[in-house]
Every structure is written in structure tokens, then in C-alpha cells.
Amino acid sequence: MKYIDLRSDTVTQPSPAMRQVMASAAVGDDVYGEDPTVNRLELLAAEILGMEDALFAPSGTQANLLALLSHCERGDEYIVGQLAHTYKYEGGGAAVLGSIQPQPINLEDDGTLDLDNVSRVIKPDNFHFARTRLLCLENTQAGKALPLEYLHEASVLAQAHQLNMHLDGARIFNAALHCNVPVQEISRHFDSVSICLSKGLGAPVGSLLCANKDLIRRARRWRKMLGGGMRQAGILAAAGIYALNQNISRLVDDHANATLLADGLAKINGIEVQSNGTQTNMVFIEMSHEDAQHIAKFMAKHHILIEGGKTIRLVTHMDISENDIHTVTEAFRQFFQKQVGQ
Ligand SMILES: *Cc1c(COP(=O)(O)O)cnc(C)c1O
């Protein structure tokens, strides 16, 4: 029996066509730089993002860590959102492995870091302080696309203070789609961008760090040190090439399905759909504490997987159809009807 899995867009299964290109990929030893398929993927990603070079990494966590380690040295600092993936969900890797001090600040409702707040925490050049080196943004942030004018303003501020800019672009293609611009309209503001192949793009594994050649050279050294140098990785890279060529434009379906879900759930008494709008492939809902305790179990009985908790994140992806959205909406409706009847 199939489950409708709304927990994340990481849960997608590689399609038969994707498995086909993986099975027939030409491979070599990528640590020697000899895997033609990895090389092709890195070129393709760099070209799409408008960067000089790119590096294939086994995960987004590692791609972000490679960026932080390559931009910053021991005793440097990076400015980042309190709830940003790099700061909160990556085990503190930059601090543990790079002696890089994070300077977290609160995120605004639209996923941005207020630039006055950023200015305020940039430390003067003085031996009492860590050296502020890098501004790290995330796009999309909790499903929200950062406004393009904001990216411009942030880059002006960063330049004025000689900060580099890194983007955690795990879902940068969702952001570009929402803003209705080519992805380079986002990436051009940054010195480095990480992208995930294993989220909405549907590959089983892999991320890329995109930047100039000099930064990628440093990142390649760190990748080896972290154990991220993979050998015949072309099998995985082939899935990545397929994902970049075939699965970007179809993200529009995920966005449409998320909007459909949000609209359906908003009509149900007992569910509060978060009001800042469904921009990409995520819907955030809230309900009473009592309901929140039972909802995940009820849904599982209907072969629908969601995370429990106060705010529930529902994520659409390529293995969720429009029909599934109707099934899910109906299950929520039943749950809340039942609660009223009790
Ligand atoms: C998923 C994700 C990453 C990378 O996660 P991995 O599981 O390590 O690939 C980075 N940033 C954001 C915002 C993400 O959602």
C-alpha cells in the first residue's frame, strides 16, 4: 500500500528513467578527477548557476560546511539566521570542525535577516573580536522565497563591509520559480551557493557547491578531509544530471499542489493555515494542542505520513499527485469532523 508522505521533499523515489541513466553512467575515480559523469554534473551546475566551478558533495550539509570552511578561517565569524539550516540543523559543524564562530540573528517573517540587525552585529576590526567574514542566507527559507530587492540590498551591505556571501540554496529552484526569474537572478548576488539534488529535484543523493575556481579548489581539499571524496560517484551524478535537466520545470506542479492543499485545509474548522501564504512547496498549519497529539496517528491509519508538533509542515513533491492532495484534504476533514462529534 502506497503512503502519501508529506514529511519532506527528501522522501522521493528515483523514477525508472532516473535509475536507467544511473545504471548506464560512465564512471571513473572522482578523487582523481576522472569520473566523466561527475565532471559533467559539476560543469552543468556551474553553468546553470552562472558560477565558474562546482563541486559534487554527498549531502547539503557537507556542501554548506565546505563553503563555510572555505570562506572562513579559525577565529572568523559568519552571520546566519537562528533557524537557518547551516546553524541549527547541521550539528554545529562549522564551529566543531572549523573553529568558525556563528553569529546567529533572528529571522524575519519573510525569511530574511533584517539588514540593520546584520549591520549591528558586524564586528569592528579589533583584536577583541572574531573577524566577521561571511553573511549566510537561505532561499527558500521555510518555503519562502527571499525578495530579489532584498538580495541586492544584502549584497550591497556585504560589499561595504567586505563580507562574502553564501547562499544555502537547497531549494533555490523553488525560489526562482516563485519569483518567476532565471535562477541566476538569485545566484549572482552570492560568492557561493549550495544546491540540493535530493529535495524537490528527486535525485536519491547529492548536492553541489558552486563558486569561483579558487573557492572550489579549497573546498575540494576540505571535502577530501571530511571523507566526502567518492570514487565511482558518476552513478550518483547521473541522477543529478537527470534531475537538473528534467525536474526543475515540474516544480511548478509541487507549488500548485501546495496551494491547493493550503486552500483546502483553510476551509476546515480547527486548522489554522499560516497566514504568510504558501509560496512554494510547503504548507504550515496549526491546530489545538489536543488535536496535534492525535493527528499524525490518525493520518498514518489513512496511509498519510506527517510530522506531529505544534506547527506542522506539509511538503509537496514529485511523488504527490493532485489526486493525493484531495485524499489528504478529505482525511483532515474527517479527522476534524470526528473531533466535533465526540
Ligand atoms: C535539506 C537541506 C539542507 C541539506 O540537507 P542534507 O540532508 O544534508 O542534504 C540544507 N539546507 C536546507 C535549507 C535544507 O532544507
Side-chain angles (χ1 to χ4, degrees):
M1 176 83 196
K2 176 196 142 146
Y3 276 85
I4 301 173
D5 194 341
L6 293 163
R7 292 171 302 166
S8 177
D9 48 6
T10 55
V11 301
T12 55
Q13 295 281 322
S15 66
M18 182 179 275
R19 287 173 185 268
Q20 195 78 45
V21 298
M22 294 174 75
S24 60
V27 297
D29 190 325
D30 181 50
V31 175
Y32 292 146
E34 291 173 2
D35 190 297
T37 309
V38 172
N39 292 342
R40 212 148 52 83
L41 171 64
E42 291 176 345
L43 261 176
L44 177 64
E47 189 182 290
I48 292 173
L49 276 282
M51 297 281 189
E52 273 179 21
D53 207 352
L55 184 67
F56 187 43
S59 67
T61 296
Q62 188 173 104
N64 283 327
L65 180 58
L66 295 175
L68 292 167
L69 291 170
S70 302
H71 281 293
C72 302
E73 292 177 8
R74 180 170 184 231
D76 288 350
E77 168 183 87
Y78 78 110
I79 298 169
V80 62
Q82 284 283 0
L83 301 177
H85 204 277
T86 42
Y87 174 62
K88 190 169 177 193
Y89 297 95
E90 296 180 5
V96 175
L97 299 162
S99 299
I100 302 161
Q101 164 170 290
Q103 167 63 71
I105 59 178
N106 287 337
L107 286 157
E108 302 301 307
D109 285 344
D110 64 357
T112 62
L113 298 175
D114 178 79
L115 294 180
D116 290 334
N117 290 343
V118 172
S119 289
R120 238 173 268 132
V121 298
I122 296 172
K123 299 180 182 44
D125 182 4
N126 176 308
F127 68 78
H128 290 88
F129 305 126
R131 289 169 303 233
T132 310
R133 187 73 79 195
L134 182 73
L135 174 61
C136 182
L137 302 177
E138 184 174 310
N139 199 10
T140 59
Q141 207 291 316
K144 283 160 292 190
L146 306 187
L148 294 171
E149 322 82 73
Y150 171 80
L151 297 181
H152 171 69
E153 287 160 19
S155 70
V156 169
L157 176 74
Q159 238 160 42
H161 293 273
Q162 285 153 8
L163 303 185
N164 284 342
M165 296 240 295
H166 173 67
L167 179 67
D168 178 347
R171 298 187 180 84
I172 192 174
F173 297 106
N174 298 86
L177 183 64
H178 174 74
C179 296
N180 198 20
V181 293
V183 72
Q184 292 190 16
E185 282 304 304
I186 296 173
S187 59
R188 70 188 179 89
H189 296 291
F190 295 88
D191 300 289
S192 60
V193 177
S194 63
I195 64 169
C196 275
L197 304 167
S198 59
K199 300 278 165 80
L201 299 187
V205 176
S207 282
L208 289 128
L209 177 64
C210 307
N212 66 30
K213 283 189 188 301
D214 188 47
L215 192 109
I216 295 298
R217 198 174 315 117
R218 276 178 276 154
R220 193 175 291 278
R221 185 181 176 80
W222 284 118
R223 188 186 70 169
K224 188 74 188 81
M225 201 186 294
L226 296 171
M230 300 180 285
R231 301 295 176 170
Q232 282 71 36
I235 303 251
L236 301 173
I241 293 171
Y242 184 91
L244 289 174
N245 284 332
Q246 306 296 327
N247 291 344
I248 292 178
S249 57
R250 62 148 307 286
L251 292 172
V252 70
D253 300 337
D254 300 342
H255 294 193
N257 280 336
T259 300
L260 186 66
L261 182 60
D263 291 349
L265 296 184
K267 295 196 189 96
I268 297 171
N269 252 333
I271 299 183
E272 193 78 45
V273 178
Q274 255 183 22
S275 61
N276 42 19
T278 302
Q279 298 185 2
T280 59
N281 68 334
M282 294 183 188
V283 180
F284 292 85
I285 59 171
E286 290 184 18
M287 56 192 68
S288 73
H289 179 68
E290 168 76 9
D291 289 337
Q293 286 187 313
H294 300 109
I295 187 79
K297 216 176 203 169
F298 177 90
M299 288 292 157
K301 277 195 208 126
H302 289 71
H303 292 90
I304 296 163
L305 298 182
I306 62 171
E307 302 272 15
K310 187 180 171 300
T311 301
I312 297 173
R313 184 187 78 161
L314 306 169
V315 189
T316 56
H317 51 75
M318 65 196 303
D319 292 348
I320 305 273
S321 66
E322 185 179 331
N323 217 23
D324 292 336
I325 298 296
H326 295 303
T327 306
V328 169
T329 310
E330 179 55 25
F332 272 102
R333 213 181 49 77
Q334 274 181 31
F335 176 82
F336 284 94
Q337 223 166 36
K338 206 178 75 187
Q339 300 298 100
V340 171
Q342 273 171 356

